[in-house]
Amino acid sequence: MKSLRFFISLSFLSLTVCGVSFLQAETFGERFLRYFPQADADKDGMLSEKEEAAVSKRIIQRFPRVDANGDGVLSEEEKEQLLVRVAAMRGEPIADNQPAGGFLGGGRSAAKQKPSIANFSYGEDERNVFDIWFAESKDPTPLAVYIHGGGFKSGSKEKLRPEKLTALLDAGISVAAINYRFVTTDPLPTAHHDAKRAIQVMRSKADEWNIDKERVAAFGGSAGAQICMWLAYSDDMANASSDDPVERESTRLVCVATTGGQTSNQPDFYANNILPLLGSEATVDAVMKPLGGVSDPEEVRMKMWGASTPEEANETAKECSAIQLLSADDPPIFMSYGMPPDARKPSDKARLRGWLIHHVVFGTKLKEKADELGVEADLRYPGADCQYSSEVAFFRDKLR
């Protein structure tokens, strides 16, 4: 595998991002083997799940940045990112119908641009800040708001990928990235309410910042995905009678894009859909981590949701669960997951929790309900038939 490691090393060390997949008809395995035939360990001409997992693991170990959401698995979008870098190294052209610039094309450098406004305060806490980048336009621009992941205990607005930022700006979409308070100091749904306030503050500045407040979207992974879906699927939380003009602004979104998002916080959902993925090893400990010195799963759940009883915790969590909130008048969603529904669980226990809590079953279950209600839900995972190659492509379609 020496040659494989060499080419991957070269691609990550020497390239800027230059484009999206240019041979959409090929699968990831076919394209990867075209570049790296050494990965075909059994020489059968196909990249098996085992071979792909082995190669992906080595890539993540050597280049942690490729695992953008930190779940230990290369998502479909992360794989695309890898392949376009390799394609650029080889000088292969991008299809004419692919947009140029940043994450979706060969344009500006992947180095993150400085915000138009940095650390704008939208609340009293030190974490109540956001950065915003304004797309160049005479007319008001749409706005895509990035909400970072990190299990509600870590992460920051700086996690926004430079390639994604550049691609959105190139598409004429302004971008914001927010911080919010962590569950280690403030229980949920404080983080959700922080994001709501940030959206309202941005809308209140629409005229000054040349933003079209009728075209606001959100995107994020994992915990950030949960907040995005809560905003998208909650009824408008504007308070028309408030003395605070910010609170009178709408909280609704035109569309939302998520990566590895948990669409339910309900114990029965985990019992029926997540724990069975473990088979005979099923235990709640596989998905629950200690919080603030508390390790008992039930106590952790109460502490996380600021509840005094399990029933109270479940009720609050239900009010923040996308599947429970989704209704027929809700906006489109693009969901991305790093594994197909029939994927085998990782043998590496260090990866198992991330695999479970970012499993595609969260997406399939939400899509089932969305389809029943007639709400657009685009679901992308390895092997899926999805009309969008990335959340940037989704936003280009929905916001322009």
Side-chain angles (χ1 to χ4, degrees):
M1 300 295 290
K2 181 178 179 181
S3 179
L4 171 62
R5 290 195 296 270
F6 169 76
F7 278 112
I8 294 175
S9 300
L10 187 59
S11 67
F12 273 83
L13 291 173
S14 64
L15 297 177
T16 59
V17 178
C18 78
V20 77
S21 168
F22 48 85
L23 286 176
Q24 294 293 336
E26 289 183 297
T27 66
F28 167 77
E30 290 169 341
R31 289 156 54 206
F32 197 92
L33 287 179
R34 181 158 56 85
Y35 295 133
F36 304 117
Q38 304 94 330
D40 184 16
D42 58 10
K43 308 300 181 184
D44 66 350
M46 297 183 293
L47 187 68
S48 67
E49 288 185 6
K50 183 177 180 180
E51 290 166 339
E52 181 179 333
V55 172
S56 296
K57 182 177 180 181
R58 283 193 293 274
I59 292 172
I60 292 172
Q61 288 174 341
R62 191 171 178 85
F63 305 101
R65 281 199 313 157
V66 73
D67 183 20
N69 59 15
D71 65 353
V73 179
L74 287 184
S75 69
E76 191 79 1
E77 188 169 337
E78 290 162 349
K79 292 172 186 175
E80 291 286 351
Q81 188 75 14
L82 168 66
L83 291 181
V84 295
R85 289 178 184 231
V86 177
M89 179 189 70
R90 296 191 171 199
E92 296 184 357
I94 305 300
D96 291 338
N97 62 348
Q98 296 296 347
F103 189 76
L104 289 179
R108 289 177 279 177
S109 168
K112 184 176 287 186
Q113 304 172 53
K114 291 183 179 180
S116 304
I117 301 175
N119 294 314
F120 187 93
S121 177
Y122 68 86
E124 297 180 357
D125 192 85
E126 64 180 1
R127 285 198 54 79
N128 292 152
V129 292
F130 61 75
D131 296 339
I132 189 164
W133 295 259
F134 301 134
E136 296 180 6
S137 175
K138 294 180 180 179
D139 299 320
T141 67
L143 175 66
V145 181
Y146 171 71
I147 306 177
H148 69 79
F152 297 108
K153 296 186 288 186
S154 63
S156 74
K157 55 186 170 61
E158 282 70 32
K159 293 292 185 179
L160 172 60
R161 295 290 295 267
E163 301 90 347
K164 198 168 295 184
L165 169 63
T166 299
L168 289 168
L169 292 174
D170 284 352
I173 300 170
S174 293
V175 181
I178 76 168
N179 280 349
Y180 51 82
R181 283 173 283 180
F182 294 142
V183 73
T184 49
T185 57
D186 298 270
L188 297 176
T190 300
H192 300 64
H193 293 162
D194 281 353
K196 172 179 74 75
R197 177 72 181 186
I199 294 285
Q200 290 177 305
V201 167
M202 293 173 204
R203 275 197 163 109
S204 73
K205 296 285 187 178
D207 291 340
E208 178 182 346
W209 290 349
N210 197 33
I211 290 171
D212 182 351
K213 64 169 65 179
E214 300 300 321
R215 292 185 291 163
V216 178
F219 65 106
S222 197
Q226 291 189 49
I227 297 175
C228 289
M229 291 183 284
W230 176 77
L231 288 166
Y233 296 157
S234 294
D235 292 337
D236 199 333
M237 293 172 278
N239 182 357
S241 61
S242 175
D243 293 333
D244 180 358
V246 172
E247 290 188 357
R248 297 199 291 267
E249 295 288 346
S250 174
T251 61
R252 292 286 278 175
L253 302 175
V254 172
C255 59
V256 62
T258 63
T259 303
Q262 298 82 29
T263 58
S264 177
N265 292 309
Q266 293 301 287
D268 59 346
F269 183 94
Y270 277 79
N272 295 330
N273 299 287
I274 302 302
L275 294 184
L277 297 170
L278 291 172
S280 60
E281 302 174 20
T283 168
V284 72
D285 295 333
V287 295
M288 188 70 73
K289 283 187 173 181
L291 177 62
V294 177
S295 57
D296 177 76
E298 196 169 79
E299 292 183 11
V300 168
R301 186 169 175 80
M302 288 188 291
K303 184 177 180 65
M304 177 172 286
W305 291 99
S308 56
T309 66
E311 292 75 21
E312 182 184 355
N314 291 342
E315 186 59 33
T316 304
K318 182 178 179 179
E319 295 171 358
C320 295
S321 294
I323 288 179
Q324 278 70 37
L325 291 171
L326 182 62
S327 58
D329 61 344
D330 284 330
I333 185 171
F334 171 81
M335 299 177 285
S336 178
Y337 292 87
M339 75 288 288
D342 59 352
R344 298 176 183 174
K345 68 180 180 182
S347 56
D348 182 358
K349 291 186 177 181
R351 295 177 54 203
L352 183 58
R353 181 179 181 276
W355 183 82
L356 285 170
I357 64 174
H358 301 101
H359 199 277
V360 68
V361 70
F362 285 107
T364 59
K365 292 300 180 181
L366 181 71
K367 181 168 175 54
E368 286 176 8
K369 182 173 181 180
D371 288 347
E372 291 175 0
L373 294 172
V375 175
E376 180 180 346
D378 298 290
L379 177 59
R380 184 172 177 84
Y381 57 80
D385 181 15
C386 181
Q387 64 176 318
Y388 299 107
S389 62
S390 70
E391 55 198 2
V392 175
F394 174 74
F395 282 150
R396 287 177 64 92
D397 184 45
K398 300 300 181 185
L399 293 177
R400 294 304 307 275

